[in-house]
Amino acid sequence: MNAPGDLAVGFATHVCAWAERAGASRDALAVLRVAAERVSQASTEGHVCVALQSLAEMLEGRSCAALREALLASGMVSADGDGVVLPLVLDGSGRLYLRRYFDYERRLAEALVRRAALPERGAPAQPAEDAQQRAVETALRQRLTVISGGPGTGKTTTVALLLARILEQDAAARIALAAPTGKAAARMLDTLRERARDLPAAIRERLPAESHTIHRLLGVTADAGRFRHHAGNPLPVDVLVVDEASMLDLALAARLVEAVPDDARIVLLGDKDQLAAVEVGAVFAELSAREGSPLAPSVVWLTQSHRFAQDSGIGRLAADINAGEPDRALAWLAANADPVAEWIEDAGASLPSAARERILAGYAPYLQALREQPDDPGAVFRAFERFRVLCAVREGARGVRELNRQLGEHARAVLDHPLDPGGRSPWYPGRPVMVAKNDYVLRLFNGDIGVCLPDGAGALAVWFPEKGGAFRAIAPSRLPEHEDAWASTVHKAQGSEFDAVLCLLPETPGPVTVRELLYTAVTRAREKVTLAGSAEVFRAACAARTQRHAGLLERMREAAASGRTGQR
């Protein structure tokens, strides 16, 4: 497999060869090579585009104006709006794009602005001081609503209230629930059912009985990157609710919004302060802007947490991280002011002994459940879902791979199960795994968690939860790509919550240690969070914010100003 850097170099080489055959000057080729390689590399880092200013810093002595002139002269770069299809696009604000990402950004912007500009439905909204009620009223009137809020702020409760109102008005309304991952989709459905307990029985019975991954909802086809539902064959829905929308990348967001009929409602739920998508873009953060955005009337922020108070425990720690106040957070943690938030100071390269003790204690109830109730997958899963180790990085002594290796060895030694084949196989009773690649035949999706347990015949199988509390067993040899799940990256934990979390910070600051990572890790915990690392790394992470270079907000402003809204 080629490394991202190799792919970027290959792309630049290809584009320059094309430009040279077309007669580009030596000067234009020199600039094009640097620009093409950088914009390709930037996409692997999650950026939608690169700024000419950053290229000017790489090519010392070149002004942005000179770079623009050279790029346009290369014959491989089109100016935004000139209608010429070329590999690269340069917009009027000095952003350089790969053509496909510029097209995705413009398509998404036009679809969103068109939807937000459609005439309001029903009677004028009633004044609502409560943010949840304001979100419900907004979603009842408009075809697009963006609801951002941290854990416990009532996003799912708001959705339950909204769907009840919709079903009261139209009992036959077609409602679809979706999320970027199978885990997030399942959790959304479970939480919605919980929040709907107080609704009238007639309403509860008409709520959706299933949720989908976005890929499954759109309908994956044999053609890579193509879906069965799109603008020409829209989804048969009246209401689409998407949870964990902060995980949406640019391409998937564009395809999803285009596939929803104009007369249907879209409700996007997420947390603007969480980590952005692993792929290209930070779509939800841009959509959640309340100033200077054509979508501002469609945006509601839920800020009051009903799970924990802002001035204590997890809520206080999350607030200090979000505010970029590491010293205040560290001083409060060092004072042991609240037992639900713990700090383990450690600047070493390896796993600190204190953190190891907490981790082993965290998984002790799970190992106990494996010993005492090996024939009850439900009890085993409930025990496993109570605690999780989260890492910022995959490699190194404080990374996911090493933690999974150590914890797997510990579990095998403690359990000493007669069905454990030892070193002959990676499979043993109690081994937790996370699916890393979607398999639509097996109905297994990226992020799904399974546990290896004996089946009725005494053979090892991997058990996965089903709807209604059931479980199904799949032979280990049939699983799609997977990895151990004792520890996972913070990114992989998005869409999940656990009673307790231990987050292990890396030895030194790095590109991934940013404020959003700390915030996301801390807010995965419901009752207890432990951070293990050095104060230096914690401070650096609090000070660093995720910077995704993109122009979606500007594309939306352009679409609103020009009336170009991608009419169907």
Side-chain angles (χ1 to χ4, degrees), residues 27 53 113 148 165 178 195 198 238 267 369 447 474 478 495 556:
D27 181 67
Q53 182 59 48
V113 170
S148 176
R165 292 277 297 276
R195 300 293 186 272
D198 296 331
D238 300 305
V267 180
I474 296 176
R478 296 188 64 203
M556 289 193 293

Side-chain angles (χ1 to χ4, degrees), residues 196-495:
R197 284 176 182 169
D198 296 331
L199 295 177
I203 295 293
R204 290 202 309 272
E205 290 168 3
R206 294 199 294 270
L207 288 173
E210 62 179 337
S211 55
H212 310 269
T213 64
I214 292 171
H215 285 79
R216 183 181 166 206
L217 180 75
L218 292 176
V220 175
T221 67
D223 296 330
R226 293 186 180 275
F227 296 102
R228 189 167 63 254
H229 292 290
H230 44 74
N233 179 34
L235 290 161
V237 299
D238 300 305
V239 183
L240 172 63
V241 181
V242 181
D243 199 12
E244 298 294 343
S246 58
M247 299 165 69
L248 278 174
D249 63 82
L250 176 62
L252 189 58
R255 290 165 170 167
L256 177 65
V257 173
E258 288 179 337
V260 179
D262 279 349
D263 59 354
R265 295 179 176 91
I266 298 178
V267 180
L268 301 176
L269 308 172
D271 185 344
K272 63 182 177 58
D273 297 315
Q274 275 193 32
L275 283 166
V278 175
E279 303 297 333
V280 173
V283 172
F284 191 77
E286 292 181 279
L287 299 189
S288 299
R290 294 197 298 189
E291 295 183 7
S293 170
L295 303 188
S298 302
V299 177
V300 180
W301 290 0
L302 304 179
T303 56
Q304 182 179 356
S305 176
H306 304 282
R307 182 178 306 159
F308 36 70
Q310 294 289 331
D311 61 348
S312 65
I314 296 169
R316 174 168 179 168
L317 180 56
D320 283 349
I321 289 169
N322 244 350
E325 293 284 355
D327 290 327
R328 186 167 67 195
L330 287 169
W332 176 76
L333 287 167
N336 296 315
D338 194 320
V340 306
E342 180 185 21
W343 172 256
I344 297 175
E345 174 65 34
D346 176 77
S350 60
L351 178 68
S353 59
R356 180 179 172 82
E357 289 173 8
R358 302 293 194 286
I359 292 170
L360 297 185
Y363 281 126
Y366 172 61
L367 298 181
Q368 182 177 352
L370 287 166
R371 284 192 297 265
E372 297 177 356
Q373 299 171 286
D375 299 326
D376 186 348
V380 169
F381 266 86
R382 285 191 295 274
F384 184 64
E385 289 299 297
R386 291 188 189 120
F387 174 76
R388 194 69 86 250
V389 180
L390 303 181
C391 302
V393 295
R394 296 190 62 82
E395 307 300 334
R398 302 168 75 97
V400 167
R401 292 188 193 279
E402 177 60 18
L403 263 292
N404 276 325
R405 185 191 67 77
Q406 290 186 30
L407 292 171
E409 288 181 353
H410 171 77
R412 295 180 94 155
V414 169
L415 294 171
D416 192 24
H417 198 285
L419 289 180
D420 185 348
R424 299 192 307 276
S425 169
W427 293 103
Y428 56 91
R431 181 191 181 194
V433 295
M434 178 185 290
V435 174
K437 187 176 182 180
N438 294 341
D439 187 319
Y440 290 90
V441 174
L442 291 176
R443 290 180 292 116
L444 293 176
F445 304 98
N446 185 10
D448 285 356
I449 298 289
V451 172
C452 184
L453 295 169
D455 62 14
L460 291 181
V462 185
W463 296 75
F464 290 89
E466 292 272 81
K467 296 171 191 171
F471 290 84
R472 62 188 172 113
I474 296 176
S477 60
R478 296 188 64 203
L479 288 187
E481 185 179 330
H482 57 273
E483 58 189 22
D484 286 330
W486 297 102
S488 75
T489 61
V490 178
H491 262 112
K492 285 282 190 179
Q494 284 185 272

